[in-house]
Amino acid sequence: MHKILVTGGLGYIGSHTVVELQQDGFDVVVLDNLNNSKLEVKENIEAITGKPVDVIIADVNDSKALNDLFSSHHFDGVIHFAAHKAVGESVEHPIKYYHNNITGLISLLGVMERHKVSNLIFSSSCTVYGATKDLPVTETTKIQKAESPYGTTKILCEDIITDFAKHKEFKSILLRYFNPVGAHPSAKIGELPLGVPNNLVPYITQTAKGIREQLTIFGSDYNTKDGTCVRDYIHVVDLAKAHVKALEYVNGMKQHVDVFNVGTGNGNTVLEVIDAFEKVNDVKLNYQIGSRRAGDIEQIWADTSKVSKVLNWNAQYTINDMMKHAWAWQKTLK
Ligand code: NAD
Ligand code: UD1
């Protein structure tokens, strides 16, 4: 494994993964259409690693651009991040999500097949488990019918990759991320949410910065230790490192497809996250308790024994680190 294509490599998780790959000695080419990222991320990655990143501005749905790219490089593997990810938007614009996330994957698989590139790491999500009662969730926990078109795209993409790999000389690892948060400790790269954030941590940091007036906690009457929802928050750098481990493993694995939960194995309530943010940064957060958000599940966290045993990967960063780095990053943003 030497040269890797990273689609969506200027995005939040992709950019952190490019850093880890470069620091591990991989030669990285990024393909991104800048749909949800900025070209300056390239310079910020380079400032961290001291190595140039080859960035191609193109869409994964552009088969000609992909074909040209695969003709001019020999890739040993591909990490596919490029997709839309806003759950609410997917409910309003399902076709946009089917097109970008599903057709995009099919376009990529077609070019990989043509150029005999047979290793793929795919970004999936714990959303595939839905509101399961089977906690913590293992990789064999039953997949539930998705609550949103976004969730549907993740389930369908997992199915397509599994089916394709079964019939072709193809190997893939599906990584089911829990809740990625935080930013690179250098504060040079991090999440760049467009408009009003839907996710908890960017909403916290924007409220602390004064961009948002107040954070609303969505419900305090859940059956959890303090009444607020529980999630498995994972530092984006730990998540990025899991991709490097997956790449190192995929080529030699016996089966065509394997799947791993990527979380810390610990659940935190919304109030615990806020408390960690306030304490570690010595900042008081303006928040109120509001009503439940439609579609939210009460609690979910990962059983991480498989990823720990098979990929030899364990999360290193704590919730305090996540909050510290998220705030350091927010403070650099105008
Ligand atoms: P992101 O939006 O920050 O990054 C995605 C990148 O892909 C962006 O740079 C965007 O410009 C690019 N992109 C989108 N469509 C493209 C296309 N058609 N062609 C080329 N580039 C395209 O998102 P992220 O948070 O880094 O997520 C990466 C992946 O992880 C996605 O597949 C997402 O669904 C999945 N995921 C994310 C989370 C999360 O909480 N962030 C959780 C589970 C799974
Ligand atoms: C959401 C998506 C999930 C996606 C993930 C990562 C839904 C139902 N799920 O997960 O599919 O993979 O983002 O992008 O949208 N919260 C507040 N106040 C806020 C924001 C959030 O209290 O202003 C609470 C939520 O109720 C939840 C927790 O914080 O309990 C985490 O929310 P969020 O960051 O949006 O992630 P998920 O809902 O877990």
Side-chain angles (χ1 to χ4, degrees):
M1 283 280 180
H2 184 64
K3 194 180 257 192
I4 306 300
L5 173 65
V6 180
T7 76
L10 295 184
Y12 175 44
I13 306 167
S15 57
H16 290 82
T17 303
V18 172
V19 166
E20 295 305 317
L21 287 168
Q22 286 197 319
Q23 289 180 338
D24 236 55
F26 288 92
D27 191 0
V28 184
V29 177
V30 165
L31 178 130
D32 201 302
N33 67 358
L34 301 182
N35 168 278
N36 197 32
S37 52
K38 296 192 174 133
L39 194 51
E40 65 207 45
V41 174
K42 166 181 154 64
E43 288 151 39
N44 299 339
I45 294 171
E46 290 170 343
I48 298 171
T49 64
K51 293 179 185 170
V53 192
D54 195 355
V55 175
I56 313 299
I57 305 301
D59 196 298
V60 279
N61 277 296
D62 181 345
S63 307
K64 181 175 176 326
L66 273 190
N67 208 35
D68 290 349
L69 182 62
F70 277 73
S71 301
S72 51
H73 296 271
H74 173 75
F75 294 117
D76 299 300
V78 178
I79 308 182
H80 183 44
F81 291 107
H84 292 323
K85 61 164 181 178
V87 177
E89 184 193 48
S90 81
V91 175
E92 271 181 53
H93 302 290
I95 301 293
K96 179 176 171 182
Y97 275 67
Y98 306 147
H99 182 67
N100 205 42
N101 297 8
I102 303 171
T103 317
L105 170 72
I106 294 169
S107 161
L108 177 66
L109 290 177
V111 178
M112 288 179 74
E113 182 184 20
R114 198 168 317 135
H115 292 269
K116 299 188 170 36
V117 178
S118 56
N119 295 304
L120 176 73
I121 312 299
F122 177 72
S123 301
S124 190
S125 166
C126 69
T127 196
V128 301
Y129 299 118
T132 181
K133 294 267 175 278
D134 193 4
L135 292 169
V137 287
T138 70
E139 290 78 359
T140 54
T141 298
K142 195 170 170 291
I143 304 285
Q144 310 247 11
K145 222 171 166 33
E147 295 244 353
S148 69
Y150 168 74
T152 302
T153 67
K154 290 297 171 194
I155 296 172
L156 289 177
C157 285
E158 284 199 0
D159 283 351
I160 288 168
I161 292 168
T162 305
D163 196 53
F164 180 75
K166 195 167 73 186
H167 300 294
K168 294 283 169 180
E169 281 305 307
F170 197 79
K171 297 204 168 169
S172 180
I173 288 184
L174 315 173
L175 296 179
R176 292 180 182 151
Y177 313 156
F178 280 67
N179 286 52
V181 298
H184 196 269
S186 66
K188 289 191 189 328
I189 53 170
E191 193 169 5
L192 287 168
L194 283 181
V196 183
N198 293 311
N199 296 122
L200 178 64
V201 175
Y203 211 106
I204 289 177
T205 57
Q206 289 197 6
T207 305
K209 183 96 186 275
I211 301 168
R212 311 283 153 214
E213 205 187 316
Q214 190 176 48
L215 169 83
T216 299
I217 297 180
F218 297 140
S220 61
D221 57 350
Y222 286 99
N223 187 23
T224 60
K225 61 177 149 177
D226 60 25
T228 64
C229 294
V230 171
R231 298 287 185 275
D232 187 338
Y233 297 93
I234 169 157
H235 197 295
V236 64
V237 171
D238 277 331
L239 176 57
K241 288 177 196 282
H243 291 78
V244 180
K245 292 283 192 181
L247 264 183
E248 286 163 351
Y249 179 75
V250 68
N251 199 26
M253 73 185 189
K254 288 201 183 70
Q255 64 275 48
H256 286 291
V257 175
D258 210 348
V259 51
F260 297 96
N261 285 339
V262 192
T264 62
N266 300 311
N268 281 115
T269 67
V270 178
L271 280 167
E272 285 173 338
V273 173
I274 294 172
D275 187 52
F277 179 83
E278 291 188 323
K279 286 204 175 113
V280 77
N281 296 312
D282 197 18
V283 174
K284 193 89 199 84
L285 195 73
N286 182 19
Y287 68 88
Q288 61 166 358
I289 306 284
S291 45
R292 290 181 175 200
R293 176 172 69 176
D296 263 345
I297 56 168
E298 185 167 272
Q299 47 188 333
I300 190 161
W301 68 96
D303 180 319
T304 54
S305 29
K306 183 175 173 192
V307 69
S308 170
K309 187 166 162 237
V310 180
L311 295 190
N312 189 25
W313 172 93
N314 293 290
Q316 302 294 327
Y317 287 106
T318 64
I319 192 78
N320 286 344
D321 300 323
M322 300 176 212
M323 294 305 113
K324 189 171 149 207
H325 296 152
W327 181 228
W329 164 245
Q330 179 69 64
K331 285 194 286 183
T332 70
L333 299 176
K334 279 163 224 122

